[in-house]
Amino acid sequence: MSKKRILLVEDDTTLSFIIQDALIREGFEVTCAPNGEIGLERFLESTPDLVIADVMMPRMDGFEMVRRIRSSSPLLPVLFLTARTALDDVVRGFEIGANDYLRKPFQILELVVRINALLKRYNYDSPEESQLTVGDASLDFASQKLSIGKEIIELSHIEALIADELFRHPNSVVEAKTLMYRIWRNDDYNNLNRLHGFIYKIRKYLSKSSVLTLLNVRGIGYKLSVPDISKALRQS
């Protein structure tokens, strides 16, 4: 089995060396960059399986770097390292496309555990695993596109995450906390209103379908309803 490649973008050279050394000993192949600009260059050169990025960096911060990476690689797992504690910064990171957050200072073991969890969850080895069809709608998670009939809808990263969870569990209730954990890695009540906003947008997109209905299950979550599940669900 080939080694998983990690791109580490961190301007603190001491911390970068410590993390790189520890991850190499864990069996990873690690490429380092001291800022977002060089991080983008190394991203194109190394085609990593996962990106670890500091938020505050010179020349280009982690938010901007990840925003640019997400435009071409929506499936790539991204973990932010940050000394920031403000909720708005955390929320902004997740909305840009982060999959997890780790606040400094942290234990290397915790970082390794989170890396392995992200690689396991977001390791799509074949394109078929990111493409799902339910009823008359198809979701391509890799390209973040929802197709209904002849119409193609471009989704945001968070919208694609929510749609992917719903499409994988048609006619089943997907709990709101499950969606919040997948998007923001917590089920903080403050994120519930944000989730409702994204659900509203997805329901609007699905209104173009002749068979699908996105239902609220009061106090629990949401259900993507389709008339005949045995005929509706198939891998594209």
Side-chain angles (χ1 to χ4, degrees), residues 27 50 52 59 61 71 86 91 93 100 109 120-121 140 172 179 183 192 220:
L50 181 142
I52 301 172
R59 296 173 63 178
D61 66 18
S71 65
V91 170
D100 203 355
L109 178 59
K120 182 177 179 180
R121 180 156 199 170
D140 186 337
S172 299
L179 293 172
I183 299 167
L192 193 56
I220 302 176

Side-chain angles (χ1 to χ4, degrees), residues 146-160:
L146 176 65
S147 302
I148 302 176
K150 295 182 179 180
E151 184 164 0
I152 299 177
I153 302 163
E154 299 276 352
L155 302 177
S156 70
H157 182 66
I158 290 181
E159 290 169 352

Side-chain angles (χ1 to χ4, degrees), residues 45-236:
E45 295 168 357
S46 63
T47 57
D49 297 296
L50 181 142
V51 171
I52 301 172
D54 188 20
V55 172
M56 296 298 292
M57 293 184 292
R59 296 173 63 178
M60 180 187 294
D61 66 18
F63 288 147
E64 177 60 19
M65 183 194 73
V66 170
R67 186 187 68 78
R68 297 189 188 190
I69 287 174
R70 274 283 171 257
S71 65
S72 61
S73 299
L75 282 179
L76 182 69
V78 173
L79 187 152
F80 273 130
L81 302 177
T82 181
R84 294 186 174 192
T85 57
L87 178 61
D88 287 347
D89 289 330
V90 175
V91 170
R92 182 186 173 196
F94 280 120
E95 289 183 342
I96 289 171
N99 301 104
D100 203 355
Y101 241 97
L102 193 55
R103 291 188 176 94
K104 301 175 183 177
F106 55 85
Q107 298 293 322
I108 291 295
L109 178 59
E110 181 180 7
L111 176 61
V112 171
V113 168
R114 294 198 183 203
I115 288 170
N116 286 327
L118 286 174
L119 288 172
K120 182 177 179 180
R121 180 156 199 170
Y122 294 95
N123 182 24
Y124 291 97
D125 291 324
S126 63
E128 290 80 7
E129 293 184 18
S130 71
Q131 298 175 7
L132 296 168
T133 297
V134 177
D136 57 356
S138 296
L139 173 69
D140 186 337
F141 184 64
S143 63
Q144 297 184 180
K145 291 180 180 179
L146 176 65
S147 302
I148 302 176
K150 295 182 179 180
E151 184 164 0
I152 299 177
I153 302 163
E154 299 276 352
L155 302 177
S156 70
H157 182 66
I158 290 181
E159 290 169 352
L161 286 174
I162 295 171
D164 184 67
E165 201 71 33
L166 293 168
F167 270 58
R168 290 181 185 279
H169 304 92
N171 280 346
S172 299
V173 177
V174 176
E175 295 186 26
K177 66 179 181 181
T178 297
L179 293 172
M180 288 191 286
Y181 263 104
R182 181 161 184 191
I183 299 167
W184 297 294
R185 302 296 292 178
N186 66 67
D187 59 352
D188 192 304
Y189 183 78
N190 293 322
N191 284 326
L192 193 56
N193 284 337
R194 289 180 177 272
L195 177 61
H196 289 332
F198 288 111
I199 289 291
Y200 174 82
K201 291 181 182 179
I202 293 173
R203 180 176 287 115
K204 189 174 180 180
Y205 302 150
L206 292 175
S207 67
K208 304 177 187 298
S209 167
S210 60
V211 296
L212 300 181
T213 307
L214 182 53
L215 305 174
N216 281 344
V217 181
R218 189 174 180 84
I220 302 176
Y222 312 94
K223 181 169 73 171
L224 182 61
S225 177
V226 57
D228 187 347
I229 186 62
S230 64
K231 295 180 181 179
L233 177 61
R234 66 182 184 279
Q235 294 272 333
S236 295

